[in-house]
Every structure is written in structure tokens, then in C-alpha cells.
Amino acid sequence: MFLHGYLLVGLLLAGVPVLLHLLLHQKPRRVVFPAMRFLIARQQTNQRRMQLRHLLLLLLRVAIILAIVLALARPRVMGDALGAAVDRPVVAVLVFDTSPSMGYAPGGVTRLERARLRAQEILDDLNPASRIALIDAGETLQEPFVSVSETRARLQKLVVRPGAGALNRAVERACDMLKQSQQSAAENIGATHLLLVFSDATRGAWDPRGTQPPLPEGVRPLLFDVGLARPQNLGIEALELVPPSVVPGRRFEVRVRVRGTSGGHENELIAQ
């Protein structure tokens, strides 16, 4: 029992401090630390860099697997150029440009050697029963059709010839051989006939006065350019003495006409 029980109502005042605490309580403010912005930006940059690195690593692994599979599959050098010709015997004529420009050796390998290597790769893809003829633009001797193995031996005898004939005349001889092959032997009827020309496609290898030889029907021509994509060449095209004859002690002029490909040159020409 309380002497003044009515004062117990004052107990409700105990809730006033609690109410004031709730009303006056301040929420903590978020203060952004200035250096955190740089840390967050750095973290995002690193994440993007790692994602790119992982993507490149993934592509590299895929490329390695694809390269191994393609290497084991042994892709043919000629691809679709010869088509089904590599699966059955063919009749082919290989025409080689042996003009002096084929002796140019960028990187230590002459253009003629590059042509010879390309021809060897093609022979490896052909059916061993194929009949091949080889024409050297620098020779007038007509070589008969021989086996693939004999053609490999003939390839080793090719050399650059200063007086090599025009390549279009050699192509004309090749067309005549293929036409005769189509008409003469019964076993050649229906066989695939190929004309393969190996040259660096320089202007000096062709006779501008010559005509384009007619290609026999059914012959598939292929040109293998062993030259450079952007060749640079410079040379003395003509030399003239003015006057033509000079007595001892008199002055004379030597007029030289130089010709070269476009793009500028740093070559040194010597006339003696």
C-alpha cells in the first residue's frame, strides 16, 4: 500500500526521457572518404583488365587447339584450286619463268627457288600416276610428259638464264602440248588437264608484241606469283654516248636513262 497512491501516475513520466531520446536521436551521416573514390575506380579498372586478360587467354587456348587440329589434318597447299584433281591422275604442264628477275633473292631465297618449292608441294598433292611435263622458258627443247618422280628430278635442274625467252611463248607451247594430249592418247580423254605457270610476273618476262595463246577447252590454268606484293626495282634502261665517237682529249657526254618502280629508292647505280 502507498500512502499517496495517486502519485503513482507520475511513473508515466519515466517514459519522457525515452521519448526524448527517440525524438532527438540523429541518424549517422555517411561521409565519403575522398581517397575511396580512387580505390573504387582502381578496383573497377583492374576487374576490366582481368576480364580482358582472361578473354585473350581463352581465345589463345582455342587458337592453339584449332592450329593443332588443322596441322594434324594436313591441309593441302593448293586447297580448292586443284579440287578433285588431287584424288585422281591428271595431265599437267608446269611452265617456269627463268628470266634474270627470278634470281632476285630477298631474304636469301631466290624467286626461282620459291617457285621450285611451291611446285614440289603441288607434286606431293598430286596422284602418283599423273603425267607431268616441265617447260623452261629459257629452253626451246620440248620435254615429254613424265611421271611425278621424274618431274621432281627435273625441277632441280632449273637455273636462271640471262637469255630466257618470253614467258607467253612458253605458255603457248604448253597449250599445244595439252591440246595434243587431249586428242592423242585414249587414256587422257576425260582426265583433268592443268596448266601451272610459275613466275614473278615482271614486265620483262613477257613479250608485249606477242599474242595471248588460246587456252584449250577443258584446261584449268593456274598462275603462281612468286614476286613481291610491293616490289622495288631500279636499273639502267638505256645508255647513250654523245657524240658516238670521240678523239682523245675531247669532251663527251654519257647519257643514262634510269627507270624504277614508284615509291622512292635509296639504291646506288654504277656505270663504268
Side-chain angles (χ1 to χ4, degrees):
M1 295 294 294
F2 295 94
L3 183 62
H4 302 287
Y6 61 90
L7 294 179
L8 293 176
V9 181
L11 294 176
L12 299 175
L13 297 176
V16 173
V18 178
L19 182 61
L20 292 175
H21 176 76
L22 296 177
L23 293 176
L24 299 179
H25 178 69
Q26 295 183 353
K27 295 182 179 180
R29 292 184 304 170
R30 297 187 61 182
V31 180
V32 179
F33 186 58
M36 288 296 296
R37 292 179 300 172
F38 300 102
L39 295 177
I40 295 175
R42 182 68 176 178
Q43 181 183 14
Q44 294 175 349
T45 303
N46 290 338
Q47 288 179 349
R48 288 193 296 267
R49 185 179 301 172
M50 291 300 297
Q51 291 175 354
L52 179 61
R53 184 176 300 176
H54 289 319
L55 178 60
L56 293 177
L57 183 60
L58 175 63
L59 295 177
L60 179 61
R61 289 170 177 169
V62 172
I64 292 176
I65 294 177
L66 291 177
I68 294 175
V69 173
L70 292 176
L72 294 176
R74 295 186 62 188
R76 288 170 175 167
V77 177
M78 294 301 300
D80 296 333
L82 294 180
V86 297
D87 298 325
R88 60 175 182 269
V90 301
V91 178
V93 177
L94 280 59
V95 179
F96 282 85
D97 178 7
T98 54
S99 60
S101 62
M102 293 292 287
Y104 180 58
V109 180
T110 66
R111 293 177 178 178
L112 182 58
E113 290 174 348
R114 292 177 58 187
R116 185 186 293 112
L117 291 175
R118 182 64 62 87
Q120 289 175 347
E121 293 173 350
I122 295 173
L123 294 177
D124 291 339
D125 285 339
L126 291 180
N127 190 297
S130 300
R131 299 175 61 246
I132 313 296
L134 191 149
I135 294 181
D136 183 347
E139 285 188 344
T140 57
L141 180 64
Q142 192 81 3
E143 295 285 354
F145 286 95
V146 296
S147 64
V148 175
S149 59
E150 292 181 57
T151 304
R152 289 194 180 95
R154 288 184 179 180
L155 285 175
Q156 305 305 321
K157 300 179 182 179
L158 291 173
V159 293
V160 174
R161 304 179 186 276
L167 191 59
N168 43 341
R169 288 197 289 269
V171 172
E172 186 174 0
R173 290 161 49 198
C175 291
D176 292 339
M177 293 183 64
L178 290 171
K179 187 175 181 179
Q180 294 175 6
S181 174
Q182 290 176 325
Q183 299 173 352
S184 60
E187 62 269 16
N188 294 337
I189 299 178
T192 302
H193 287 70
L194 303 175
L195 172 60
L196 311 179
V197 181
F198 301 84
S199 172
D200 57 357
T202 56
R203 183 179 303 177
W206 301 85
D207 183 3
R209 297 168 297 180
T211 59
Q212 181 178 358
L215 187 68
E217 185 178 357
V219 174
R220 185 180 305 172
L222 294 172
L223 172 64
F224 298 89
D225 187 356
V226 295
L228 300 177
R230 299 181 60 183
Q232 287 191 350
N233 191 17
L234 181 67
I236 298 176
E237 188 175 51
L239 188 144
E240 181 183 7
L241 183 65
V242 181
S245 60
V246 186
V247 297
R250 298 294 298 270
R251 294 179 59 87
F252 63 93
E253 293 182 2
V254 178
R255 299 176 182 176
V256 179
R257 183 167 68 244
V258 177
R259 185 173 182 177
T261 54
S262 59
H265 297 273
E266 298 179 356
N267 306 67
E268 179 180 356
L269 296 179
I270 299 176
Q272 66 181 36

